[in-house]
Protein backbone atom coordinates (compact mmCIF):
# COMPACT_ATOMS: atom_id res chain seq x y z
CA UNK A 1 0.00 0.00 0.00
CA UNK A 2 2.80 2.47 0.79
CA UNK A 3 4.50 1.83 -2.55
CA UNK A 4 1.20 2.36 -4.36
CA UNK A 5 0.60 5.61 -2.50
CA UNK A 6 4.16 6.85 -3.05
CA UNK A 7 4.72 5.79 -6.65
CA UNK A 8 1.37 5.25 -8.39
CA UNK A 9 -0.89 7.89 -6.89
CA UNK A 10 0.89 10.78 -8.58
CA UNK A 11 -0.92 12.85 -11.22
CA UNK A 12 -0.46 11.45 -14.72
CA UNK A 13 0.83 8.04 -13.63
CA UNK A 14 -2.17 6.10 -14.96
CA UNK A 15 -1.80 7.77 -18.36
CA UNK A 16 1.93 6.99 -18.46
CA UNK A 17 1.32 3.35 -17.50
CA UNK A 18 -1.34 3.10 -20.22
CA UNK A 19 0.96 4.68 -22.79
CA UNK A 20 3.89 2.44 -21.89
CA UNK A 21 1.63 -0.62 -22.08
CA UNK A 22 0.60 0.48 -25.58
CA UNK A 23 4.28 0.64 -26.56
CA UNK A 24 4.83 -2.91 -25.26
CA UNK A 25 1.85 -4.55 -26.99
CA UNK A 26 3.58 -4.98 -30.32
CA UNK A 27 7.21 -4.67 -29.23
CA UNK A 28 9.44 -7.17 -31.01
CA UNK A 29 11.56 -8.73 -29.86
CA UNK A 30 10.34 -8.68 -26.25
CA UNK A 31 13.83 -8.83 -24.80
CA UNK A 32 15.78 -6.69 -22.28
CA UNK A 33 17.68 -4.48 -24.77
CA UNK A 34 14.56 -3.70 -26.80
CA UNK A 35 12.46 -3.09 -23.68
CA UNK A 36 15.13 -0.78 -22.25
CA UNK A 37 15.37 1.24 -25.46
CA UNK A 38 11.58 1.54 -25.66
CA UNK A 39 11.35 2.45 -21.97
CA UNK A 40 13.96 5.20 -22.29
CA UNK A 41 12.41 6.62 -25.45
CA UNK A 42 8.95 6.59 -23.89
CA UNK A 43 10.15 8.40 -20.74
CA UNK A 44 11.72 11.09 -22.92
CA UNK A 45 8.59 11.35 -25.08
CA UNK A 46 6.30 11.93 -22.07
CA UNK A 47 8.79 14.23 -20.33
CA UNK A 48 9.55 12.27 -17.18
CA UNK A 49 12.79 11.06 -15.67
CA UNK A 50 13.39 7.40 -16.45
CA UNK A 51 13.90 6.81 -12.71
CA UNK A 52 10.39 8.07 -11.94
CA UNK A 53 8.82 5.94 -14.64
CA UNK A 54 10.87 2.94 -13.50
CA UNK A 55 9.50 3.24 -9.97
CA UNK A 56 5.88 3.39 -11.12
CA UNK A 57 6.25 0.48 -13.55
CA UNK A 58 8.13 -1.61 -10.98
CA UNK A 59 5.42 -1.10 -8.35
CA UNK A 60 2.76 -1.90 -10.94
CA UNK A 61 4.51 -5.14 -11.90
CA UNK A 62 5.90 -6.39 -8.59
CA UNK A 63 4.40 -4.34 -5.78
CA UNK A 64 7.93 -3.45 -4.68
CA UNK A 65 10.04 -0.34 -5.11
CA UNK A 66 13.33 -2.21 -5.64
CA UNK A 67 14.32 -5.40 -7.37
CA UNK A 68 16.12 -6.91 -10.30
CA UNK A 69 16.52 -4.99 -13.56
CA UNK A 70 13.15 -3.90 -14.87
CA UNK A 71 13.62 -5.17 -18.45
CA UNK A 72 14.77 -8.57 -17.18
CA UNK A 73 11.84 -8.73 -14.76
CA UNK A 74 9.45 -7.94 -17.59
CA UNK A 75 10.87 -10.73 -19.76
CA UNK A 76 10.59 -13.21 -16.87
CA UNK A 77 6.96 -12.23 -16.26
CA UNK A 78 6.12 -12.34 -19.96
CA UNK A 79 4.31 -9.78 -22.07
CA UNK A 80 0.77 -10.93 -21.19
CA UNK A 81 1.33 -10.75 -17.43
CA UNK A 82 3.13 -7.40 -17.77
CA UNK A 83 0.22 -5.91 -19.72
CA UNK A 84 -2.33 -7.35 -17.28
CA UNK A 85 -0.49 -5.91 -14.27
CA UNK A 86 -0.01 -2.50 -15.89
CA UNK A 87 -3.72 -2.39 -16.64
CA UNK A 88 -4.62 -3.39 -13.08
CA UNK A 89 -2.30 -0.74 -11.64
CA UNK A 90 -4.06 1.99 -13.61
CA UNK A 91 -7.18 1.24 -11.57
CA UNK A 92 -5.30 1.74 -8.29
CA UNK A 93 -4.48 5.34 -9.11
Amino acid sequence: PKAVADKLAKPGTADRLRGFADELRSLEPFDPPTILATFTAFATKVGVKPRDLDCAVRVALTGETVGFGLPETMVLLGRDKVLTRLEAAQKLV
Side-chain angles (χ1 to χ4, degrees):
K2 182 172 178 6
V4 170
D6 290 347
K7 305 300 179 187
L8 295 183
K10 295 180 180 179
T13 299
D15 290 336
R16 286 190 290 276
L17 292 177
R18 186 175 303 108
F20 185 54
D22 289 343
E23 298 281 329
L24 295 174
R25 285 186 207 295
S26 60
L27 186 66
E28 289 299 334
F30 195 76
D31 64 4
T34 308
I35 292 169
L36 180 59
T38 300
F39 176 88
T40 304
F42 180 76
T44 300
K45 180 170 86 173
V46 297
V48 297
K49 295 177 186 173
R51 176 183 63 226
D52 293 338
L53 183 60
D54 179 279
C55 291
V57 171
R58 184 177 304 282
V59 170
L61 298 180
T62 69
E64 302 291 334
T65 57
V66 295
F68 297 109
L70 189 58
E72 292 80 9
T73 299
M74 293 171 73
V75 169
L76 288 172
L77 288 171
R79 184 190 326 257
D80 291 340
K81 192 170 281 191
V82 166
L83 294 174
T84 298
R85 290 183 182 187
L86 288 173
E87 182 178 308
Q90 294 168 39
K91 298 173 185 171
L92 296 174
V93 178

